[in-house]
Amino acid sequence: MFRGGLVFANYCVTCHGINADGNGRAARLYNPRPANLRASDKNNAYIGLIIKLGGEAMGRSQFMPPWGAELTEEQMSDLVAYIRSNNVNPAANP
């Protein structure tokens, strides 16, 4: 989880917030607002794809950038694990 937390802190926290609740300092600039990852009902594969391909490619917000060209597969996998570890939605457990 530690490595995923580092990736989250470097790439995601500005929009998704320190608590992964969609309330980062830049969140107010976007409509729709960034996803609350703590309450997400998406599975690991979907989370991995949205990280890799970005929101627009997945039919979601155009403001979620694609990170696949910047992050390694290992970093993306670590990030999915970190996001999953913070999720409080029982429906999202794989």
Side-chain angles (χ1 to χ4, degrees):
M1 298 312 145
F2 178 76
R3 294 183 319 202
L6 291 176
V7 175
F8 187 86
N10 283 303
Y11 293 91
C12 313
V13 75
T14 303
C15 294
H16 290 284
I18 193 77
N19 296 315
D21 57 5
N23 290 312
R25 70 176 192 261
R28 63 184 173 82
L29 302 174
Y30 300 107
N31 185 16
R33 292 178 61 92
N36 177 350
L37 302 174
R38 293 180 55 84
S40 175
D41 63 352
K42 306 302 182 223
N43 63 33
N44 290 0
Y46 185 91
I47 293 169
L49 283 173
I50 202 165
I51 292 167
K52 185 175 191 167
L53 303 175
E56 191 168 21
M58 298 296 292
R60 308 273 310 219
S61 173
Q62 65 181 337
F63 302 114
M64 170 63 191
W67 294 110
E70 183 149 352
L71 299 176
T72 65
E73 289 293 328
E74 182 178 31
Q75 287 173 310
M76 288 185 279
S77 179
D78 290 344
L79 183 53
V80 170
Y82 177 78
I83 290 168
R84 176 67 61 214
S85 75
N86 287 298
N87 194 308
V88 296
N89 184 347
N93 292 328

